């Protein structure tokens, strides 16, 4: 069996500790804030997440950039040169051109390393939904499965990798064109929080709304009750958040009280998604029968 590595990109929002634990290679997207460019790395060395959200709340403008073809080539080449194959699980093509850049880099490198295999999978996922898919892929690899077997597992798992989330500040979604100015204004006045998910095409899609954050968080847990598969108490659940530990504590208690979930893994939403959703956002990720 050929030796291979699992690779992803920094939009997965896996922490540096998780990346080390899972033995991953991570290609970094980048972001620009107030005219300065930063790399989005798992250790957030260029900018700690608390500072990122503090500046975002203060009105700083932030834009993000996909991983370039050149950065992919620079990341992949040493792995291939060491005689290893690559299974790359990419940020949703519905939200970024990172997947396309990865495909171009892989095609270029196949000519340079014809004996090596590079597989690029569009996760149709984002943030820790993407991260959870990568985590699950590593669990399969650790069972001794081949790269082809793990690839098949990931492709089969994508439709059931559920992403449910809510946002506190509708104006970030307005700036990104996700909601209208009127919806943002009325929703803010009435404390309406959208309930959204990432659909099977990898796009952010509204599925409902709730009055107040606690109701919205409960709606996310309702989604898991409706769609979750198997014994929910045994699921590993991933959470992402926009610097809102109180919301994390609230939804974690809901998961424990309602389903008996014990393996709950929260982490910050990184700049790639956070710049479009803002502080107070919370995402819940679990395995379901469909998205």
């Amino acid at each position: 069996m050929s030796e291979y590595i699992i690779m992803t990109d920094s939009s997965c929002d896996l922490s540096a500790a998780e990346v080390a634990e899972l033995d991953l290679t991570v290609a970094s997207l980048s972001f620009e804030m107030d005219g300065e460019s930063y790399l989005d790395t798992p250790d957030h060395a260029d900018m700690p997440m608390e500072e990122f959200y503090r500046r975002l709340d203060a009105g700083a403008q932030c834009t993000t950039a996909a991983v370039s073809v050149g950065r992919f080539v620079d990341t992949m080449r040493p792995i291939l040169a060491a005689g290893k194959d690559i299974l790359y699980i990419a940020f949703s093509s519905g939200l970024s051109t990172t997947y396309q850049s990865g495909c171009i880099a892989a095609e270029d490198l196949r000519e340079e390393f014809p004996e090596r295999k590079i597989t690029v999978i569009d996760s149709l996922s984002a943030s820790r939904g993407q991260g959870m898919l990568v985590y699950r892929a590593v669990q399969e690899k650790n069972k001794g499965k081949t790269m082809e077997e793990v690839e098949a597992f990931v492709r089969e798992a994508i439709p059931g990798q559920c992403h449910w989330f809510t946002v506190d500040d509708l104006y970030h979604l307005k700036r990104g064109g996700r909601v209208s100015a009127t919806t943002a204004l009325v929703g803010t006045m009435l404390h309406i929080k959208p309930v959204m998910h990432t659909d099977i095409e990898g796009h952010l899609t509204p599925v409902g709304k709730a009055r107040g954050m606690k109701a919205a968080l409960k709606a996310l847990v309702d989604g898991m009750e409706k769609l979750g598969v198997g014994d929910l108490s045994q699921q590993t659940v991933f959470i992402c958040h926009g610097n809102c530990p109180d919301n994390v504590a609230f939804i974690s208690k809901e998961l424990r009280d309602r389903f008996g979930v014990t393996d709950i893994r929260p982490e910050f939403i990184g700049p790639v998604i956070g710049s479009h959703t803002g502080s107070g956002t919370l995402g819940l990720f679990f395995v379901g029968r469909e998205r």
Side-chain angles (χ1 to χ4, degrees), residues 94-95 172-180 196 203-206 276:
L95 297 170
H172 284 281
L173 292 180
K174 178 184 76 70
R175 282 192 289 272
R178 303 293 176 187
V179 300
S180 69
M196 308 181 76
H203 300 117
L204 305 183
T205 307
H276 301 287

Side-chain angles (χ1 to χ4, degrees), residues 163-176:
H163 306 54
W164 282 60
F165 68 98
T166 188
V167 303
D168 188 48
D169 184 352
L170 288 167
Y171 286 100
H172 284 281
L173 292 180
K174 178 184 76 70
R175 282 192 289 272

Side-chain angles (χ1 to χ4, degrees), residues 18 21-22 128 135 139 236-240 248 252 262-267 285:
E18 289 171 323
E21 174 195 346
L22 299 173
R128 285 178 69 77
Y135 167 84
Q139 308 315 303
T236 296
V237 176
F238 277 42
I239 290 173
C240 68
V248 173
S252 296
T262 58
D263 192 356
I264 302 171
R265 306 187 182 207
E267 189 54 57
F285 309 99

Side-chain angles (χ1 to χ4, degrees), residues 91-96 122-125 158-159 197-205 291:
F91 185 18
S92 172
S93 64
L95 297 170
S96 171
D122 182 355
S123 73
L124 300 171
S125 302
I158 287 170
H197 79 146
T198 303
D199 66 20
I200 194 56
E201 295 180 346
H203 300 117
L204 305 183
T205 307
R291 290 196 178 188

